[in-house]
């Protein structure tokens, strides 16, 4: 069989994991930014393993579809503008939307 | 070539997207994200068995936006050599071919194909993301696991020291060789930029902590990567045609004890062993920095 006649192996479309992301399933806490303290140094953007942070219209925004709540951003922020708050409230553990 | 000077200049495109299957605070995913910012869309990436091969998805969905090939454990640099040969024969020149392996795919299981590719001076970039254990299969000890580290198969601490992978790769005389750390993203991205501008076999070794294997909290990944540099155990330098240049001199030096005591895997290490390691680190620090 010539190489050109070999069947094409199907592969996933680029970046499809982003479309189905729902990290609220595993997140226990989420980052909250204090806009007044943030100086837009962008360090947190490069320390986020999950590409959850981006600068949008002059402030850092967190994409809660991607954030797993590791807390690296809160530890690494040089001006301590980020605090991690619990994702669940109440003794039954409801997700706060 | 214009090197990136500030974080604001870095492209915003995510070629390794969020929603991937890595743990919270994954050092490996962090290393890939930082590197892909500069490697760019004209990249073919090839990863052997490792965490990184699985967390980018498989089959039905993927977090990659560049062509990604999951090769067998022992042959990532050989597969990358083949990809380069296929591109060459088609006359395609502007593509980075990267084999991205963990410490096992580089220093142990993948070593024969790595040393072969380095010797043949294949035109590829080999990246080792080093979390110092076999984390994809449960954290077993490997040849770059540090002395006295507790792993499932060295429950009393590893009896032998870590293999010096950088010295082994330097002995192949590659045109570019560098160490990097996820705690210094600008330095890491500049090194990838320099590697991309050079032809031939290029080797970059990234320290990427794993909170599960190291016995730390998930938010300490970057902190521990930085402390490894500050204590002198992991020095950041590059070698262009064998000439070494230190790229990051830590702002403060800390004793190795501070770095080791934060990690659960070194809880069996006694003071005498720590002092021996400190002496070794000081000697090595002077040697590299001079």
């Amino acid at each position: 069989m010539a190489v050109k006649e070999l069947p094409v192996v199907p592969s996933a479309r680029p970046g499809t994991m982003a479309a189905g992301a729902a990290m609220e399933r595993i997140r226990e806490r989420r980052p909250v930014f204090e806009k007044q303290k943030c100086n837009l140094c962008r360090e947190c953007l490069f320390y986020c393993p999950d590409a959850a942070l981006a600068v949008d219209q002059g402030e850092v925004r967190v994409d809660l579809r991607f954030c797993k709540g590791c807390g690296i951003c809160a530890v690494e922020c040089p001006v301590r503008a980020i605090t991690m708050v619990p994702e669940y409230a109440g003794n039954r553990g409801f997700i706060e939307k | 070539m214009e090197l990136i000077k500030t974080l604001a200049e870095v492209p915003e495109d995510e070629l390794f997207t969020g929603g991937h299957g890595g743990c919270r605070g994954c050092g490996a995913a962090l290393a890939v994200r930082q590197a892909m910012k500069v490697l760019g869309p004209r990249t073919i990436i090839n990863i052997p068995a490792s965490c990184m091969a699985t967390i980018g998805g498989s089959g039905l969905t993927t977090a990659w936006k560049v062509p990604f090939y999951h090769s067998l454990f022992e042959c990532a640099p050989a597969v990358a050599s083949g990809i380069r040969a296929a591109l060459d024969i088609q006359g395609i020149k502007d593509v980075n071919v990267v084999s991205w392996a963990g410490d096992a795919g580089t220093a142990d299981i993948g070593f024969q194909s790595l040393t072969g590719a380095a010797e043949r001076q294949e035109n590829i970039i080999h990246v080792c993301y080093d979390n110092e254990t076999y984390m994809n299969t449960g954290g077993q000890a490997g040849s770059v696991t540090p002395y006295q580290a507790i792993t499932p198969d060295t429950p009393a601490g590893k009896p032998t020291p870590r293999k010096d992978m950088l010295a082994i790769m330097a002995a192949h005389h590659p045109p570019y060789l560098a160490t990097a750390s996820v705690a210094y993203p600008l330095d890491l991205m500049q090194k990838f930029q320099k590697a991309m501008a050079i032809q031939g076999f290029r080797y970059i070794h990234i320290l990427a902590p794993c909170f599960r294997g190291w016995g730390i909290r998930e938010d300490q990944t970057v902190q521990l990567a930085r402390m490894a540099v500050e204590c002198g155990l992991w020095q950041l330098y590059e070698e262009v045609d064998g000439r070494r240049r230190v790229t990051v001199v830590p702002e403060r030096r800390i004793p190795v004890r501070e770095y080791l005591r934060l990690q659960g895997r070194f809880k069996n290490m006694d003071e005498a062993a720590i002092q021996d390691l400190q002496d070794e680190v000081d000697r090595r620090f002077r040697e590299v920095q001079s």
Side-chain angles (χ1 to χ4, degrees):
Chain A
M1 193 190 281
V3 172
K4 282 182 182 167
E5 291 163 21
L6 288 171
V8 175
V9 179
S11 60
R13 289 191 188 282
T16 33
M17 274 185 127
M23 293 307 161
E24 57 267 31
R25 288 178 307 186
I26 60 164
R27 189 172 56 238
E28 289 170 3
R29 38 191 205 143
R30 71 167 88 175
V32 174
F33 287 76
E34 283 179 58
K35 276 179 229 163
Q36 304 86 338
K37 280 192 189 172
C38 177
N39 60 2
L40 286 179
C41 71
R42 292 170 184 258
E43 282 196 21
C44 54
L45 272 62
F46 293 88
Y47 290 140
C48 175
D50 293 293
L53 303 172
V55 173
D56 180 28
Q57 295 174 350
E59 62 176 282
V60 179
R61 286 181 202 259
V62 53
D63 191 330
L64 290 173
R65 295 173 306 156
F66 298 158
C67 176
K68 293 175 182 144
C70 66
I72 291 178
C73 53
V75 170
E76 294 302 322
C77 179
V79 292
R80 304 204 167 273
I82 309 169
T83 44
M84 299 301 289
V85 301
E87 188 72 35
Y88 307 111
N91 55 10
R92 298 286 297 276
F94 289 111
I95 294 173
E96 293 284 313
K97 270 285 179 186
Chain B
M1 180 188 51
E2 198 67 30
L3 283 184
I4 291 170
K5 293 279 189 322
T6 63
L7 294 176
E9 295 167 39
V10 180
E12 288 188 0
D13 302 350
E14 298 290 348
L15 296 169
F16 184 74
T17 66
H20 61 72
C23 301
R24 286 177 201 147
C26 175
L30 185 50
V32 163
R33 264 202 70 223
Q34 293 177 357
M36 287 313 294
K37 290 275 180 188
V38 288
L39 281 168
R42 297 292 283 172
T43 299
I44 296 176
I45 200 147
N46 159 41
I47 303 186
S50 61
C51 283
M52 208 51 235
T54 59
I55 69 184
S58 56
L60 299 176
T61 56
T62 179
W64 294 96
K65 285 188 172 174
V66 295
F68 155 63
Y69 181 69
H70 180 173
S71 75
L72 293 178
F73 214 147
E74 59 278 63
C75 60
V79 170
S81 308
I83 292 171
R84 173 61 76 192
L87 291 170
D88 282 347
I89 215 160
Q90 295 174 76
I92 300 170
K93 300 224 180 298
D94 62 335
V95 172
N96 304 307
V97 180
V98 180
S99 62
W100 185 291
D103 45 281
T106 300
D108 304 334
I109 301 169
F111 185 69
Q112 47 79 16
S113 65
L114 176 68
T115 183
E119 186 272 328
R120 295 191 305 274
Q121 302 183 5
E122 297 286 352
N123 188 13
I124 60 171
I125 303 176
H126 183 87
V127 182
C128 172
Y129 80 91
D130 185 359
N131 50 31
E132 302 185 331
T133 42
Y134 285 46
M135 281 322 299
N136 194 35
T137 48
Q140 294 86 349
S143 66
V144 295
T145 302
Y147 179 56
Q148 291 287 324
I150 295 170
T151 67
D153 51 11
T154 56
K158 192 187 170 213
T160 51
R162 170 190 167 97
K163 177 158 96 184
D164 189 351
M165 198 55 205
L166 270 302
I168 293 169
M169 290 318 291
H172 292 75
H173 305 298
Y176 190 80
L177 172 144
T179 60
S181 165
V182 292
Y184 296 84
L186 206 54
D187 177 67
L188 185 146
M189 289 186 284
Q190 285 172 348
K191 281 170 176 162
F192 272 89
Q193 279 189 305
K194 286 176 196 165
M196 285 160 66
I198 293 172
Q199 299 285 306
F201 187 83
R202 293 143 285 171
Y203 181 80
I204 298 178
H205 198 120
I206 305 174
L207 187 70
C210 168
F211 83 94
R212 298 274 301 144
W214 291 28
I216 54 176
R217 289 199 320 270
E218 58 216 22
D219 57 9
Q220 288 177 311
T221 305
V222 173
Q223 188 190 343
L224 265 291
R226 184 179 298 109
M227 287 177 82
V229 174
E230 287 172 342
C231 77
L233 267 172
W234 190 248
Q235 301 192 59
L236 297 177
Y237 61 87
E238 62 182 6
E239 288 181 14
V240 182
D241 295 324
R243 277 188 300 278
R244 185 183 293 157
R245 191 178 75 87
V246 175
T247 55
V248 172
V249 180
E251 288 171 13
R252 55 167 198 154
R253 281 294 305 280
I254 59 168
V256 286
R257 182 184 289 102
E258 260 182 58
Y259 169 74
L260 300 173
R261 285 292 179 235
L262 278 179
Q263 302 175 53
R265 61 179 176 158
F266 292 115
K267 66 179 181 208
N268 283 2
M269 203 160 176
D270 58 25
E271 285 298 321
I274 291 178
Q275 192 52 49
D276 286 350
L277 184 64
Q278 181 71 56
D279 295 343
E280 169 66 19
V281 165
D282 288 344
R283 188 192 61 74
R284 176 86 186 131
F285 191 80
R286 281 194 299 272
E287 186 185 306
V288 171
Q289 302 278 330
S290 61

